[in-house]
Amino acid sequence: MKTNQQPKAVIVIFGATGDLAKRKLYPSIHRLYKNGQIGEEFAVVGVGRRPWSNEDLRQTVKTSISTAADKQLYDDFTSHFYYHPFDVTNPGSYQELNVLLNQLEDTYQIPNNRMFYLAMAPEFFGTIAKTLKSEGVTATTGWSRLVIEKPFGHDLPSAQALNQEIREAFTEDQIYRIDHYLGKQMVQNIEVIRFANAIFEPLWTNRYISNIQITSSESLGVEDRARYYEKSGALRDMVQNHIMQMVALLAMEPPIKLNTEEIRSEKVKVLRALRPIAKDEVDEYFVRGQYQAGEIDGLPVPAYTDEDNVAPDSNTETFVSGKLLIDNFRWAGVPFYIRTGKRMKEKSTKIVVQFKDIPMNLYYGNENNMNPNLLVIHIQPDEGITLYLNAKKLGGAAHAQPIKLDYCSNCNDELNTPEAYEKLIHDCLLGDATNFAHWDEVALSWSFVDSISETWAANKTLSPNYEAGSMGPKESDDLLAKDGLHWWNI
């Protein structure tokens, strides 16, 4: 579908008064409007429990997008926003919503296209989906699409139950499960780097790649998310979704075509080929951690167990690292190392592909250590690619030294880099589900992590074991050292 067309739809945001809507959704829709990716034939209905008016919502939207733009543009944009006080459990609220949507579709000449965005507590997802259908809100002559934020369940059985509820009202091709990492420019660029470059794809196998490392670190702590995080932890919050998606993109076979069905099919094959971790093997393949007090940017920060709304004897992991093995022809024997955590040295997400050394290297780096070739894909905050090669520097000695070939896609034009939510909202409006998680991907990811989380839940011995401002516990370094490797902190 062409991305330059302007989709016509009503966007209904459940949870319109919440933090996600203010921080991400309103600014993203505004940028789509400002950039001409949606025209005048759209409306946004904010749904929430608060007794707001249209003007209350419009003022909130203005505050969330406040820049130096002119007032007329603000007023034109926010005039498309309407508020509807709502009780999720009351069928009458849905009937009133349906009347409002019909009115707006007439006003803005929208051909009954409706996008329902659930930006609220997941316990209401199933109720909303089923009642939208039972009260006729999805029975239109246009399309209806349901956008769901994570978490999609907290383990495989709960995810299956939720999926079953939602599937009573929406078909799989109407369901768009948001993983905002899939909206990031450089995550989408993984496919391009692999499949559009003859120097990489032939080498993208166990014959030439030693290991692949994925690091997603945050310098922040749990902040105001402690209640959610206590139930989730780093494994469910990051590994089950964002990191597993990156593994699938890195390891998938070239699809027959670059369309939604074929790309998803190849990602699912990777997740099926993941070697399961038995409960008695968890400690061999995975490390968990919890941050101690320390310093970030020279300022003292508390330990996780001293944060607000965290139990003093909490067993929740704020750090995970692990070794994944993919048992297929392409990747047999190549470890995929992952790590993610809070209160680490820096906010950064990057992928490091380490290539194997050539059999007999005539040139040695400093102190007689060979320098492997590395391909680094920078996801955030910088977006770009670095290739580490060996070459003789001008005026240098006889041995080779590593040099960097750098490309940064957002260094010169940072303000115009599409935000992940902006890209994903636009994709949903266009009916492009490529960068959303299919149910099969969600189910396979949960089935992989469940044995790990169950083992950790039964073993309540976790205590703070890495200093805030570090790159995680020593056991994480040991995980790679056992294989004669180390983390690339570059």
Side-chain angles (χ1 to χ4, degrees):
M1 200 171 285
K2 294 179 181 176
T3 55
N4 61 352
Q5 62 187 123
Q6 296 179 328
K8 304 172 184 180
V10 180
I11 303 171
V12 183
I13 298 176
F14 291 84
T17 62
D19 187 53
L20 176 67
K22 294 172 189 171
R23 285 191 307 110
K24 297 293 185 182
L25 305 187
Y26 300 148
S28 295
I29 296 169
H30 176 244
R31 282 193 295 268
L32 291 174
Y33 179 77
K34 189 172 154 189
N35 296 334
Q37 292 176 290
I38 52 177
E40 296 298 328
E41 294 100 343
F42 84 98
V44 178
V45 176
V47 166
R49 288 176 296 182
R50 296 183 194 179
W52 281 11
S53 64
N54 290 345
E55 192 47 47
D56 289 327
L57 176 61
R58 290 170 185 177
Q59 191 54 50
T60 299
V61 173
K62 284 179 185 178
T63 303
S64 76
I65 63 174
S66 57
T67 60
D70 62 83
K71 182 178 183 299
Q72 184 61 48
L73 184 64
Y74 272 15
D75 291 343
D76 289 347
F77 174 66
T78 56
S79 70
H80 291 259
F81 282 71
Y82 299 81
Y83 187 75
H84 180 58
F86 200 83
D87 178 356
V88 165
T89 60
N90 180 6
S93 286
Y94 295 82
Q95 294 161 10
E96 293 164 7
L97 174 63
N98 200 25
V99 171
L100 174 59
L101 297 184
N102 283 322
Q103 291 171 353
L104 293 176
E105 286 162 352
D106 288 341
T107 302
Y108 292 99
Q109 299 179 307
I110 296 167
N112 300 121
N113 296 329
R114 299 176 178 181
M115 172 177 159
F116 304 98
Y117 198 119
L118 306 190
M120 59 189 304
E123 58 260 34
F124 297 117
F125 288 178
T127 302
I128 293 171
K130 288 192 293 187
T131 319
L132 283 171
K133 182 180 182 182
S134 67
E135 301 311 310
V137 189
T138 59
T140 72
T141 56
W143 50 255
S144 293
R145 294 174 187 145
L146 184 72
V147 183
I148 305 175
E149 281 283 337
K150 74 164 193 174
F152 198 92
H154 60 270
D155 56 15
L156 182 57
S158 62
Q160 287 171 326
L162 174 58
N163 194 58
Q164 193 169 347
E165 273 193 293
I166 292 170
R167 288 293 299 273
E168 289 176 22
F170 291 86
T171 60
E172 178 62 33
D173 62 359
Q174 291 178 301
I175 302 169
Y176 289 69
R177 298 175 190 83
I178 282 260
D179 184 328
H180 69 267
Y181 267 57
L182 293 179
K184 294 182 182 294
Q185 289 282 80
M186 289 310 299
V187 172
Q188 296 182 5
N189 240 324
I190 291 171
E191 296 169 52
V192 182
I193 292 166
R194 288 190 53 190
F195 304 135
N197 291 290
I199 64 168
F200 288 133
E201 182 53 28
L203 307 182
W204 215 260
T205 74
N206 48 14
R207 290 183 63 195
Y208 299 104
I209 290 179
S210 160
N211 68 90
I212 294 179
Q213 301 178 13
I214 301 172
T215 297
S216 186
S217 59
E218 293 182 70
S219 55
L220 291 175
V222 288
E223 311 306 303
D224 56 359
R225 297 176 70 224
R227 282 194 176 91
Y228 159 75
Y229 206 81
E230 275 286 84
K231 297 176 185 173
S232 165
L235 185 70
R236 291 186 176 104
D237 187 48
M238 288 293 296
V239 176
Q240 182 272 330
N241 39 70
H242 307 322
I243 290 181
M244 296 292 267
Q245 286 288 336
M246 286 191 278
V247 169
L249 288 168
L250 286 162
M252 63 188 264
E253 293 295 320
I256 299 167
K257 293 179 182 175
L258 287 176
N259 62 26
T260 302
E261 292 74 21
E262 298 300 338
I263 290 172
R264 280 178 164 177
S265 172
E266 297 303 337
K267 286 164 66 183
V268 165
K269 288 177 187 175
V270 172
L271 297 174
R272 282 183 181 148
L274 274 175
R275 184 182 298 178
I277 308 294
K279 290 185 179 181
D280 60 356
E281 296 176 321
V282 169
D283 289 344
E284 184 182 342
Y285 286 93
F286 273 80
V287 170
R288 60 177 171 161
Q290 192 183 85
Y291 61 80
Q292 302 168 341
E295 286 192 359
I296 301 282
D297 295 329
L299 298 173
V301 294
Y304 177 73
T305 47
D306 293 329
E307 300 274 18
D308 291 342
N309 300 313
V310 173
D313 59 347
S314 173
N315 198 53
T316 301
E317 79 284 354
T318 63
F319 174 95
V320 174
S321 65
K323 174 182 176 180
L324 280 59
L325 294 169
I326 299 170
D327 291 330
N328 64 17
F329 192 78
R330 182 184 288 259
W331 294 112
V334 178
F336 283 65
Y337 298 106
I338 62 169
R339 62 176 170 173
T340 182
K342 292 189 174 295
R343 287 285 186 227
M344 293 174 70
K345 186 177 179 180
E346 60 183 358
K347 177 181 174 62
S348 174
T349 300
K350 65 183 66 170
I351 297 160
V352 180
V353 180
Q354 179 177 339
F355 292 91
K356 289 182 176 179
D357 294 324
I358 55 177
M360 180 181 168
N361 199 327
L362 301 175
Y363 293 90
Y364 292 89
N366 295 329
E367 300 176 0
N368 291 333
N369 291 323
M370 286 193 288
N371 299 293
N373 296 139
L374 304 174
L375 173 67
V376 184
I377 302 172
H378 305 274
I379 309 294
Q380 65 176 12
D382 297 329
E383 298 175 353
I385 310 163
T386 304
L387 184 60
Y388 287 83
L389 302 175
N390 291 306
K392 183 175 179 296
K393 289 187 176 178
L394 189 64
H399 59 249
Q401 295 177 316
I403 61 168
K404 289 166 60 175
L405 302 182
D406 260 331
Y407 165 69
C408 180
S409 69
N410 67 334
C411 291
N412 299 322
D413 199 19
E414 197 163 345
L415 292 176
N416 292 328
T417 300
E419 212 276 340
Y421 277 92
E422 176 187 347
K423 167 73 174 152
L424 293 173
I425 290 170
H426 193 233
D427 281 354
C428 182
L429 289 170
L430 292 172
D432 183 354
T434 306
N435 296 307
F436 294 81
H438 187 275
W439 165 244
D440 290 347
E441 299 168 50
V442 174
L444 287 164
S445 295
W446 275 126
S447 64
F448 179 81
V449 304
D450 275 358
S451 64
I452 303 165
S453 59
E454 287 165 12
T455 301
W456 287 347
N459 180 9
K460 297 185 180 297
T461 58
L462 180 61
S463 58
N465 62 1
Y466 70 96
E467 187 178 349
S470 70
M471 287 304 287
K474 177 181 177 295
E475 290 81 1
S476 176
D477 296 328
D478 295 342
L479 187 69
L480 275 71
K482 287 188 295 187
D483 296 334
L485 300 166
H486 60 86
W487 290 108
W488 290 101
N489 297 315
I490 52 179

